[in-house]
Amino acid sequence: MPARQRGSTVRRGKTWAARYRDAEGVQRLRGGFGSKTDARAWLDSRVDDVEALRRGDVAALRRRSLPTLAELVDEFTAQHVAEPSTIASLEFRLRYALEGPKLDGNAGWRDVTIDRLNATEIGAWRKALPGRSAFGIHKCLRQVLHYAVRAKLIDENPAALVPNPEPKRVEVKTFTIDELELAAAELSPTFRAVPVFAALTGLRPCEWMALERADVDRQAGVVTVRRTVVEGVVKPYGKTERSLRAVPLPARAAQALDEHPTRLDTRVLFPGARGAPQALSPWRHREWNPALRAAGLEHRSVYALRHTYASLSIAAGVSLFELSRLMGTSPAMLDKTYGHLLPDALDRARSALDVFIANAAEAAEGGG
């Protein structure tokens, strides 16, 4: 690699000019500087750029014109691979960083270059965020600034220096079987089987909405989860995804499907008016919320059906490992969400091991 050039400054009448060679070795001249100092400062900057290009260090050039936080957010979301609903949620949360904790344009960093963000200001911003949303909002900002670190735009992530404690766990709201029946009675006939079916299979709303009749094997007592609905668009699960799975179909859930009207113009198990799968948001407003009100039940989200499945399974003695496979999630996530429902887990594990060891000992003695 050639030695680093210095370039030169020359006086041209009443002004100064700077001369250097670009990355291809072509001589360049820039004049019109009011002083030799100005010419040298500009020249040093250009020489640094040339050296960075010769090294292939594009990041060094980018650091010379760092983006604002708004520009970084646009760049990050444009390259981030995720479902449209996830991107929309990410963009909404990042508005708190761009527009301020109250989304009023005050105390936001929209036009601030990312090198000017610091942990002290981010800490004060974190305290002013809405209580239960603060953890997720801060996490999104940290994610974006981590991208800037990986792109070598900044050396350190200032958001990672600020503590981001998770909110205290709230009680998971579930349904009793009687409440499921009450809610079902208030739904349209097309969706009357949903409360019992969803609460006894543990499927996510986006999963049971995408089910087709062929996914339900009545003889084997199994429901196969193959696809999901994202904003009304059906997407298949990949072969290696945890969510691609088979779950048992309990007798009561099968009974609910037996009473479920079948439409011959669509393969979808719970179709909308035109036969296609429903999108969650309009279904929630048109069917779910009115049904709960009509049944005189306390409001609970549609996801409470999935929570009901988890709580019933844990009460029945299903282990978190088994349950994680049935629900298409990780044991760690289940433990975080439902671990408090396992107060007697140690006793059950101890008793199970004692019985197993005792039976093994008896079998060994009998064989001897």
Side-chain angles (χ1 to χ4, degrees), residues 21-300:
R21 291 187 181 276
D22 64 19
E24 285 74 38
V26 178
Q27 190 174 78
R28 302 291 182 182
L29 180 71
R30 168 77 179 271
F33 296 101
S35 67
K36 183 177 181 180
T37 300
D38 291 342
R40 171 50 66 180
W42 181 88
L43 177 61
D44 289 343
S45 175
R46 293 304 301 152
V47 168
D48 287 343
D49 290 348
V50 170
E51 294 303 312
L53 284 173
R54 286 177 175 173
R55 295 193 307 270
D57 189 357
V58 178
L61 295 178
R62 291 193 66 188
R63 282 196 293 269
R64 300 183 67 83
S65 55
L66 286 172
T68 63
L69 182 60
E71 292 169 339
L72 181 68
V73 166
D74 288 343
E75 180 178 328
F76 175 77
T77 54
Q79 60 80 47
H80 190 58
V81 179
E83 297 291 351
S85 58
T86 302
I87 296 293
S89 176
L90 180 65
E91 290 175 335
F92 175 77
R93 289 177 173 178
L94 288 170
R95 284 180 56 198
Y96 286 91
L98 300 176
E99 302 175 19
K102 296 183 179 179
L103 297 180
D104 57 2
N106 295 320
W109 301 302
R110 175 179 295 279
D111 299 321
V112 176
T113 54
I114 58 175
D115 61 319
R116 292 174 56 195
L117 298 176
N118 61 75
T120 301
E121 291 184 354
I122 292 175
W125 166 82
R126 170 67 170 78
K127 288 184 178 180
L129 291 172
R132 294 202 58 80
S133 303
F135 174 78
I137 295 170
H138 184 177
K139 186 176 179 180
C140 288
L141 177 62
R142 188 169 59 187
Q143 189 177 4
V144 170
L145 293 179
H146 178 64
Y147 167 76
V149 172
R150 287 190 289 110
K152 298 182 179 179
L153 296 176
I154 53 178
D155 297 324
E156 188 174 44
N157 183 345
L161 302 177
V162 177
N164 188 30
E166 293 192 52
K168 293 182 180 179
R169 184 181 62 223
V170 297
E171 181 182 357
V172 175
K173 294 183 178 181
T174 60
F175 289 93
T176 65
I177 298 298
D178 288 342
E179 288 177 328
L180 294 173
E181 300 283 3
L182 289 173
E186 301 298 338
L187 288 168
S188 301
T190 305
F191 303 109
R192 201 157 286 166
V194 165
V196 171
F197 176 83
L200 297 185
T201 57
L203 272 61
R204 301 175 177 90
C206 60
E207 293 172 337
W208 57 255
M209 286 182 165
L211 284 177
E212 297 179 359
R213 291 194 300 275
D215 297 324
V216 181
D217 187 335
R218 303 290 187 90
Q219 186 173 358
V222 170
V223 178
T224 303
V225 182
R226 296 186 172 95
R227 65 195 76 81
T228 183
V229 175
V230 180
E231 296 184 349
V233 178
V234 178
K235 296 188 177 183
Y237 279 136
K239 291 183 179 180
T240 60
E241 290 192 59
R242 183 185 286 116
S243 297
L244 180 66
R245 64 197 189 280
V247 300
L249 179 68
R252 183 62 191 87
Q255 180 185 345
L257 291 183
D258 289 339
E259 300 166 358
H260 178 63
T262 300
R263 281 179 52 175
L264 301 180
D265 62 333
T266 178
R267 297 176 299 181
V268 179
L269 185 60
F270 302 113
R274 298 183 179 180
Q278 288 280 291
L280 177 59
S281 182
W283 185 85
R284 184 171 53 223
H285 292 296
R286 295 172 188 168
E287 292 279 347
W288 181 250
N289 293 342
L292 293 184
R293 287 195 296 269
L297 297 175
E298 177 188 1
H299 177 76
R300 274 154 281 191

Side-chain angles (χ1 to χ4, degrees), residues 357-368:
I357 293 171
N359 290 340
E362 290 179 6
E365 290 177 1

